[in-house]
Amino acid sequence: MNFDKMFQAQLDSLKEEGNYRVFAELQRECGSFPRVKNHNGTQDKVTVWCSNDYLGMGHHPDVIGAMVETTQSCGAGAGGTRNISGNAYHHKRLEDELADLHNKEAALLFTSGYVSNWAALSTLGARLPNAVILSDALNHASMIEGIRHARCQKVIWEHNNPEDLDRKLAALPANSTPIVAFESVYSMDGDIAPIAEILDVCEKHGAMSYIDEVHAVGMYGPRGGGVAEREGLMDRITLIEGTLGKAFGVVGGYVTGSHALCDFIRSFASGFIFTTALPPSVAAAATASIRHLKQSSVERDMQKRQVARLRARLDAEGIPHVRNPSHIIPVMVKDPVKCKMLSDILMEQFGIYVQPINYPTVPKGTERLRFTPGPLHTDEDIDYLVMALSTLWKQCAIAHAVA
């Protein structure tokens, strides 16, 4: 059988639909973010507008210093899984820092936010008696994968709709162990969950609450604990999951909760047991980042200012973007071919890098460019971006927003 021919046929179909993904070869350069070196195309330097390093902490001197110092003292890798030979002092220190951030008894590290969701949800759903996971309709792929691997009953409830969740919980058998899984900030539309109302429903039915705060940790709350911290709700949530790879600027994922909960996942989750631990240098860098953002609101304040400025400038030019209360600005194109074309022209002609967001990440017909302004984007960067978008909107005959 010609397997390559089978592979190529499906790849060709992706290209015809405009959904084939091309990676830009970019090189982050210390101290110059959000500008990066471009290794292909006409622009030697480009400005990144779609980074998940939301606050630029991947370039903060304290974070870099902690990583370099720990690499020099401990070496490059962890040496194995946490269970065998990779359990380092730096891991424990980071877990203590994360537990404190979320006002929980304990925390548990994973190699990514994807793995922490997959491992935690699959373990909870597989091992709790008569488990039923009730998942928000727009939950991330990592949560969906975890639920699938749990092989327990699952129920999908309408996105951000506590009333529908209430109905679905009420319909469960009395002997069920319900787990309600949802996010705080949803990364594609940038909307924020009504956390208090969802927790009211969870408490009414005795359900476990599981919240994914990956797009919120570091960004919201007086110490960067997320939307739940900002709204004073952390103590009401059973499990808070987060990432070190976005606002904290490094890599890794984690869950926080009670001692018993974290020990349960540590003891039974294959995604933890059989995975090489994060390098101590990464753990040390993440610890430095979290400690800084617990004490400093400068980065968050500037980031909010730049988000507001970009939204106002887009409005002034009539460029359609999704209204939401978060830091994520989706500019709607609604056509996969045009979305990819706009991304390519912005890169090649204007030195602006933003990836097209097409199916299957978003439903067909909702293709978009997703902008994440940060504290290191200048006012001039924003003005230049809006000028470029306005020029292309006219050239490409894309609909403007209705006043």
Side-chain angles (χ1 to χ4, degrees), residues 111-310:
T111 50
S112 73
Y114 189 102
V115 173
S116 56
N117 264 333
W118 171 81
L121 282 168
S122 64
T123 302
L124 292 168
R127 299 199 66 92
L128 292 180
N130 304 310
V132 180
I133 300 179
L134 297 99
S135 177
D136 183 285
L138 294 188
N139 274 343
H140 187 266
S142 59
M143 302 177 82
I144 295 169
E145 189 74 0
I147 295 166
R148 184 171 73 86
H149 279 270
R151 297 183 179 178
C152 64
Q153 182 183 348
K154 70 173 180 180
V155 175
I156 307 300
W157 49 285
E158 293 175 9
H159 176 56
N160 279 351
N161 187 339
E163 292 79 15
D164 186 57
L165 174 62
D166 188 23
R167 288 190 292 269
K168 299 286 173 61
L169 280 166
L172 296 180
N175 66 342
S176 299
T177 302
I179 304 164
V180 175
F182 64 105
E183 301 180 42
S184 59
V185 179
Y186 287 83
S187 63
M188 288 300 109
D189 289 336
D191 53 334
I192 294 179
I195 301 174
E197 290 84 350
I198 292 170
L199 294 177
D200 289 342
V201 175
C202 290
E203 290 162 0
K204 173 183 175 182
H205 295 277
M208 173 186 291
S209 50
Y210 182 115
I211 190 170
D212 174 320
E213 287 252 47
V214 297
H215 291 277
V217 290
M219 304 288 291
Y220 300 90
R223 300 198 308 159
V227 179
E229 184 199 23
R230 184 187 71 182
E231 299 180 4
L233 299 170
M234 291 193 298
D235 62 310
R236 295 176 59 190
I237 300 170
T238 312
L239 184 152
I240 299 174
E241 185 266 350
T243 184
L244 306 170
K246 292 183 171 59
F248 293 130
V250 195
V251 67
Y254 63 89
V255 297
T256 64
S258 68
H259 284 301
L261 171 60
C262 291
D263 198 22
F264 176 82
I265 295 172
R266 181 190 70 86
S267 299
F268 293 112
S270 62
F272 175 85
I273 296 169
F274 300 108
T275 301
T276 299
L278 288 173
S281 58
V282 170
T287 301
S289 183
I290 294 163
R291 285 180 175 173
H292 175 84
L293 289 175
K294 281 180 177 178
Q295 300 172 352
S296 172
S297 63
V298 172
E299 293 81 5
R300 287 188 286 273
D301 291 344
M302 179 57 75
Q303 192 263 354
K304 290 173 186 173
R305 176 189 184 277
Q306 298 308 73
V307 168
R309 179 177 174 83
L310 178 53

Side-chain angles (χ1 to χ4, degrees), residues 42-85:
T42 58
Q43 302 288 334
D44 179 57
K45 296 279 187 180
V46 300
T47 301
V48 177
W49 278 99
C50 54
S51 176
N52 283 343
D53 187 358
Y54 292 135
L55 301 177
M57 291 302 294
H59 291 261
H60 194 281
D62 290 353
V63 177
I64 295 169
M67 180 172 280
V68 171
E69 179 183 350
T70 308
T71 300
Q72 290 175 336
S73 62
C74 297
T81 67
R82 294 278 293 277
N83 291 288
I84 296 177
S85 60

Side-chain angles (χ1 to χ4, degrees), residues 17 22 30 51 53 65 83 94 109 170 177 255 263 277 292 359 362 386:
E17 295 168 358
V22 178
C30 194
S51 176
D53 187 358
N83 291 288
L94 174 55
L109 285 173
T177 302
V255 297
D263 198 22
H292 175 84
Y359 178 84
V362 295
V386 174

Side-chain angles (χ1 to χ4, degrees), residues 344-356:
D344 290 344
I345 295 173
L346 284 168
M347 176 78 114
E348 294 166 7
Q349 295 186 16
F350 295 93
I352 290 170
Y353 175 67
V354 59
Q355 268 287 359

